[in-house]
Amino acid sequence: MTRSTVLIRIALLLLATGPAVAQEDMQATASTGLHGSVGLSAGVRPEYDGAKDSRTVLMPTINLFYGDSLFFTRMTAGANLLRYKTEQGLTITAGPLLGLRRGRDQDDHEVLRGLGDIDPALDAGAFVRLRKQGWQASAEVRQNVTNTDQGATVNLSVGHGMPVGPKLRLRTTFDTAWASSGYMKTFYGIDAVQSAQSGAAQYDVGAGFKHVGASLTADYPINREWTGVATVRYKRLLGGAADSPIVSSLGDRDQVSTSIAIQYRF
């Protein structure tokens, strides 16, 4: 394991968020200087993308903003270099981003043994977001820059947030993602060597949409500084991802994850 891989694994452990900050809340404040939230989350998520078994995870949550220009959340750092507001109240922001991509360890699950490890990696790309009142739509393009054979992804989402009581606020988000052939082959393909080592059928896969998903997040401010956050997410794998033997035969195309967190805002 290379030194850069070790550093990325440490960063993923320390900086991965459980219940992520809602995209609609990113840069939505006029606060100056450094602000955001830190906390701790506990959750349940699939053992790997496409697994039928789940595991419990406990991790810190870190979401940082500097003014309305820089942000670090959901393992992604970015900058709002373009900001524009129309006469109709539509806010458009866009800029570059860097993101950490989770890898996969073949020891995580018996289904993966013989397929080899997938190193965590760094993505570079750009984003654009549209916001109006409680609505937000976003698009992100990401290209892997440390393990270039892992390819690129395009992520699209739309969501809405609204208060449902004096304190409780709910947010719903719908999303989908397209992935290049390099990404799909890395995470869902099985070549001849992997097939011989694992016993899984050989499988070749090309580019395409890999999932559709929906999530529901509830925010409940306990007091001025502390907030409770609960999230449930459903994702259904599509196309070449869903047809992979590690999903269709040995896993499950329907993926559910949940988390609950306590966060300190500053």
Side-chain angles (χ1 to χ4, degrees):
M1 185 180 295
T2 65
R3 182 178 179 183
S4 61
T5 299
V6 172
L7 292 175
I8 291 175
R9 285 183 182 274
I10 293 173
L12 283 166
L13 176 63
L14 294 178
L15 302 176
T17 60
V21 164
Q23 290 186 2
E24 70 177 71
D25 292 335
M26 295 170 62
Q27 301 88 45
T29 174
S31 298
T32 58
L34 182 66
H35 59 285
S37 67
V38 295
L40 185 67
S41 76
V44 176
R45 69 185 184 198
E47 296 257 11
Y48 63 88
D49 196 27
K52 62 181 177 181
D53 300 318
S54 298
R55 62 176 174 176
T56 301
V57 293
L58 182 68
M59 63 182 66
T61 67
I62 304 175
N63 303 290
L64 303 176
F65 307 91
Y66 190 83
D68 61 355
S69 297
L70 305 178
F71 61 87
F72 178 87
T73 185
R74 302 181 68 178
M75 296 192 301
T76 300
N80 292 309
L81 297 187
L82 170 66
R83 287 189 294 272
Y84 178 74
K85 189 169 185 177
T86 69
E87 295 180 354
Q88 293 74 32
L90 177 66
T91 300
I92 303 171
T93 57
L97 60 80
L98 292 173
L100 293 174
R101 180 185 294 187
R102 286 191 179 93
R104 192 179 71 195
D105 194 322
Q106 66 175 348
D107 293 329
D108 285 346
H109 196 282
E110 60 182 7
V111 169
L112 303 176
R113 290 172 189 162
L115 298 182
D117 296 339
I118 300 174
D119 291 334
L122 179 67
D123 290 343
F127 70 90
V128 59
R129 293 192 179 92
L130 310 176
R131 295 180 60 250
K132 185 174 182 180
Q133 298 176 344
W135 291 93
Q136 176 168 298
S138 70
E140 292 183 355
V141 179
R142 301 184 179 213
Q143 169 65 51
N144 185 268
V145 293
T146 54
N147 298 314
T148 53
D149 58 341
Q150 287 191 18
T153 59
V154 178
N155 304 285
L156 306 172
S157 70
V158 61
H160 182 256
M162 60 181 292
V164 293
K167 288 188 176 182
L168 182 63
R169 181 177 176 83
L170 296 180
R171 300 190 298 269
T172 55
T173 303
F174 299 92
D175 68 281
T176 188
W178 176 93
S180 69
S181 59
Y183 181 100
M184 297 290 277
K185 290 178 186 297
T186 298
F187 287 92
Y188 303 105
I190 301 174
D191 61 26
V193 174
Q194 291 173 319
S195 178
Q197 293 176 342
S198 67
Q202 190 170 339
Y203 180 69
D204 189 30
V205 60
F209 282 91
K210 71 182 189 73
H211 80 259
V212 292
S215 63
L216 176 66
T217 299
D219 287 276
Y220 187 85
I222 300 170
N223 55 34
R224 187 184 182 95
E225 290 83 20
W226 292 94
T227 300
V229 183
T231 300
V232 59
R233 172 166 169 75
Y234 168 77
K235 179 172 72 173
R236 184 171 177 84
L237 297 178
L238 303 173
D243 292 338
S244 171
I246 65 172
V247 179
S248 62
S249 301
L250 305 171
D252 193 334
R253 67 179 61 191
D254 296 308
Q255 304 281 281
V256 177
S257 58
T258 61
S259 63
I260 187 169
I262 183 73
Q263 297 179 342
Y264 176 78
R265 299 180 183 270
F266 60 92

